[in-house]
Amino acid sequence: MQLNLYNSLTRQTERFIAIDEDKKVVTFYTCGPTVYDFAHIGNFRAFLNADVLRRTLEAIGYKVNQVMNITDVGHMTDDAVADGGGEDKMEVAANRLAEAKKSGALPEGVELDPTDPLAVAQYYAQAFIEDAKALGMEIVDDAQANPDVMPRPTQYISQMIAMVETLVQKEHAYVANDGVVYFDVQSFPEYGKLSGNTMEQLRSGEGGRVDMETQAVKKNPADFMLWKPDHNHLMRWASPWGEGYPGWHLECSAMATSLLGDVIDIHSGGEDNIFPHHECEIAQSCCATDENSFANYWFHTRFLLVDGGKMSKSKGNFYTLRDLVNKGATPAAIRLELIRTHYRSNANFTLQGLKDSQRQVDRWKRLADWLCEHGCVKVNKTPLQDAKEKFLAAMCDDLNVAGAIGCLSEAVSEYTVDMPPENGEGLGTLADEHKALQVMDSVLGVINLESCASTKNVDVDKIESLIDARLEARASKEWNRADEIRDELCAMGIEIKDGADGTTWSRVVQ
Ligand code: AMP
Ligand code: ZN
């Protein structure tokens, strides 16, 4: 099966062909988080869609070498301008935590020196990795075996300096009168191709936003910073241009090239990364390596919205994974809710949507367990195996997750309350059905996650025996007893629903 994937660079859906198609190896760079706070689920929407792309490639036979940076330096608060303005996000976080420490508001158990941005970065990086693992991001497992898979820019300063030296040597960068090293955008005619910006638009757009003093020293207002000499910045390094710190676009170019090669297959990020971040990465990388391409396919996830607006830290309208788990949702349901809308459309987050995802995941998980238990039973109908190809075909159609979930749900609905579709001598066993379900879940990544969560949090045997007892009570018209049992289940955080298929249960999400 072959993948068709929308490429933001060409604005077309293309047949995916890897650089090393013979060996079926894919190199994949994902722009990761800046660890200045807990990640919110909007951030995770971008990372989880990259994870779904990776899993889809794996399901059709590729080995994926994925790298995702964890940014611990150089990312400025004003990141909508190519130059990067405002303050270093890590310094802002350090100051915020210093204030929190003074007023005794540091989270319990957190013992860090708030004046040390690296300690702050390590604290939030750890939190990010825990959340990413809970949400089933495969890259975390790889990073356990090989930490280079989630590199930190502070470990790649020498590679960044080497790249700036190359760019200066090739006259794609220059040292301005203020001592700052800038990339000369006019030396790279392709600048603007990814974002669709013309040089004219960039010139006028940039002019208004960056202070006039800085603009005066640049050859072109759109030129962006590669290295900034600075003696006050908390994190700074020696360089041929004096002590200072790197521009934030540089890290991804340096780390992707060092770890994956000069030209990579796929590069991903959120839609806001297109400009300036990825535009600048392309310019730096192509000019440093003399290659025509930095990444062959560019994959961008649209924003997660709340009430029609972007979910973001600054608006305060965000949820973290921890917030939603405290409301009773499992990470598997949160993952499903974040991946079920097509990555090129905005998704609107609602608690009702999350409840529906919880119900769906619980149903799939129960079926998976039941299939596992009754593996030897022979059946005449094999809906899950029949769905598998269609499911993968939907995923290969530019990650049509909703279509794929539709195929899976249709197959699952053939299983009335824990009954095989048709007992018989026939086509296969329930173990084969279980295998097909696992293949589909290797892409969605939710049922496996649920197994840990459900054994941890929910006593499935007790729930099922209470449901049986309630059915018996109803059969003998003991309505009060039946209601009592419903209340008992409710107190355990379990909601039940009577339908044509019998009684089903799911966790309550508040
Ligand atoms: P940051 O940690 O701010 O660098 O953001 C990390 C990633 O999350 C970037 O790729 C952003 O594009 C992405 N992102 C931020 N907010 C949202 C959102 N509401 N929906 C989807 N992606 C987002
Ligand atoms: Zn990046």
Side-chain angles (χ1 to χ4, degrees):
M1 206 170 289
Q2 277 181 309
L3 171 66
N4 287 317
L5 190 64
Y6 182 83
N7 186 350
S8 322
L9 185 63
T10 58
R11 294 171 185 76
Q12 272 169 5
T13 303
E14 297 171 4
R15 167 72 42 96
F16 175 79
I17 299 170
I19 297 166
D20 197 346
E21 189 62 41
D22 290 345
K23 291 211 185 89
K24 292 239 145 207
V25 172
V26 175
T27 46
F28 185 0
Y29 188 90
T30 298
C31 279
T34 303
V35 280
Y36 63 104
D37 207 335
F38 294 110
H40 59 68
I41 55 167
N43 303 129
F44 275 112
R45 178 174 196 230
F47 304 136
L48 288 174
N49 274 306
D51 184 66
V52 169
L53 171 56
R54 170 191 171 140
R55 286 165 173 267
T56 301
L57 286 160
E58 287 170 342
I60 58 172
Y62 289 97
K63 169 167 179 7
V64 182
N65 289 336
Q66 190 186 9
V67 166
M68 183 169 95
N69 58 296
I70 295 200
T71 295
D72 55 3
V73 68
H75 189 172
M76 312 304 269
T77 46
D78 193 358
D79 57 14
V81 283
D83 222 4
E87 297 167 84
D88 185 308
K89 287 189 172 183
M90 294 314 309
E91 285 199 22
V92 173
N95 292 335
R96 191 184 68 233
L97 286 178
E99 283 303 311
K101 191 167 187 174
K102 252 193 254 157
S103 61
L106 264 188
E108 215 178 305
V110 177
E111 278 305 325
L112 50 79
D113 173 5
T115 58
D116 177 1
L118 214 49
V120 171
Q122 276 160 2
Y123 171 67
Y124 286 119
Q126 198 44 44
F128 174 78
I129 288 168
E130 279 167 24
D131 289 359
K133 194 177 173 69
L135 288 167
M137 273 166 57
E138 286 193 329
I139 192 160
V140 179
D141 287 338
D142 289 354
Q144 273 170 349
N146 171 14
D148 278 349
V149 163
M150 290 177 121
R152 314 294 199 267
T154 48
Q155 306 293 314
Y156 284 80
I157 300 291
S158 61
Q159 288 88 335
M160 293 189 224
I161 291 176
M163 191 170 253
V164 179
E165 281 180 314
T166 307
L167 291 169
V168 172
Q169 220 171 45
K170 293 185 176 174
E171 298 187 352
H172 287 296
Y174 60 94
V175 184
N177 284 340
D178 56 0
V180 175
V181 188
Y182 290 103
F183 184 89
D184 178 354
V185 294
Q186 237 139 13
S187 76
F188 183 60
E190 304 265 284
Y191 191 74
K193 187 175 167 194
L194 177 72
S195 55
N197 283 315
T198 62
M199 209 53 95
E200 260 330 293
Q201 284 166 333
L202 290 171
R203 197 172 286 131
S204 53
E206 291 277 288
R209 298 170 87 159
V210 178
D211 71 272
M212 294 321 285
E213 233 172 86
T214 314
Q215 293 303 23
V217 299
K218 292 191 203 174
K219 288 191 193 170
N220 186 307
D223 291 350
F224 59 90
M225 183 188 110
L226 297 175
W227 187 270
K228 180 158 178 143
D230 184 309
H231 294 293
N232 302 318
H233 211 251
L234 288 177
M235 285 198 271
R236 51 182 194 269
W237 293 265
S239 85
W241 315 281
E243 223 177 52
Y245 62 93
W248 76 282
H249 313 299
L250 195 58
E251 56 171 89
C252 293
S253 287
M255 293 190 290
T257 313
S258 304
L259 294 167
L260 295 172
D262 287 354
V263 187
I264 61 175
D265 287 304
I266 309 173
H267 194 126
S268 76
E271 62 174 312
D272 57 337
N273 289 148
I274 294 176
F275 188 85
H277 188 47
H278 290 164
E279 196 75 80
C280 296
E281 280 188 42
I282 294 174
Q284 295 162 160
S285 299
C286 290
C287 292
T289 61
D290 290 325
E291 297 281 356
N292 289 330
S293 170
F294 169 39
N296 290 342
Y297 300 86
W298 286 85
F299 176 88
H300 291 106
T301 296
R302 298 285 293 270
F303 285 143
L304 182 69
L305 307 180
V306 188
D307 301 325
K310 180 190 170 191
M311 177 175 285
S312 75
K313 278 274 148 60
S314 55
K315 286 191 190 158
N317 62 353
F318 63 91
Y319 290 105
T320 62
L321 173 68
R322 288 139 211 260
D323 295 335
L324 296 177
V325 167
N326 286 338
K327 284 183 177 293
T330 61
I334 299 165
R335 178 181 166 102
L336 182 64
E337 186 57 19
L338 291 174
I339 62 173
R340 65 184 319 148
T341 303
H342 193 255
Y343 72 95
R344 284 198 288 120
S345 300
N346 287 124
N348 198 33
F349 180 78
T350 61
L351 285 174
Q352 186 54 49
L354 180 60
K355 284 181 194 180
D356 295 342
S357 289
Q358 184 71 62
R359 204 166 290 133
Q360 203 155 20
V361 164
D362 286 344
R363 168 86 177 102
W364 295 344
K365 170 63 187 148
R366 273 200 309 281
L367 178 61
D369 285 349
W370 182 81
L371 290 172
C372 213
E373 239 174 77
H374 299 86
C376 304
V377 174
K378 290 192 177 139
V379 280
N380 281 340
K381 269 167 93 183
T382 52
L384 289 163
Q385 287 175 87
D386 301 345
K388 195 177 77 179
E389 288 295 299
K390 271 192 271 168
F391 176 98
L392 287 177
M395 291 308 299
C396 283
D397 177 14
D398 193 30
L399 309 191
N400 178 3
V401 181
I405 290 175
C407 300
L408 172 57
S409 301
E410 211 181 295
V412 169
S413 70
E414 298 259 345
Y415 287 83
T416 52
V417 183
D418 301 346
M419 284 295 287
E422 240 176 65
N423 261 339
E425 281 311 302
L427 289 169
T429 63
L430 291 181
D432 300 327
E433 284 288 272
H434 185 251
K435 258 186 233 147
L437 184 56
Q438 273 181 320
V439 170
M440 292 185 265
D441 188 53
S442 72
V443 176
L444 295 177
V446 295
I447 300 174
N448 254 345
L449 277 185
E450 195 66 2
S451 60
C452 347
S454 65
T455 45
K456 237 189 285 162
N457 302 330
V458 175
D459 183 343
V460 178
D461 289 343
K462 182 159 182 206
I463 294 168
E464 282 172 358
S465 71
L466 282 170
I467 289 178
D468 288 345
R470 178 173 166 270
L471 287 177
E472 277 166 30
R474 281 162 61 104
S476 48
K477 300 196 167 28
E478 295 171 47
W479 306 117
N480 287 343
R481 174 76 195 125
D483 287 348
E484 269 168 31
I485 296 175
R486 179 190 280 271
D487 292 345
E488 190 177 340
L489 283 161
C490 190
M492 289 164 66
I494 300 299
E495 196 171 43
I496 52 174
K497 230 183 176 179
D498 299 312
D501 289 350
T503 303
T504 57
W505 63 266
S506 63
R507 263 168 282 246
V508 181
V509 179
Q510 279 122 20

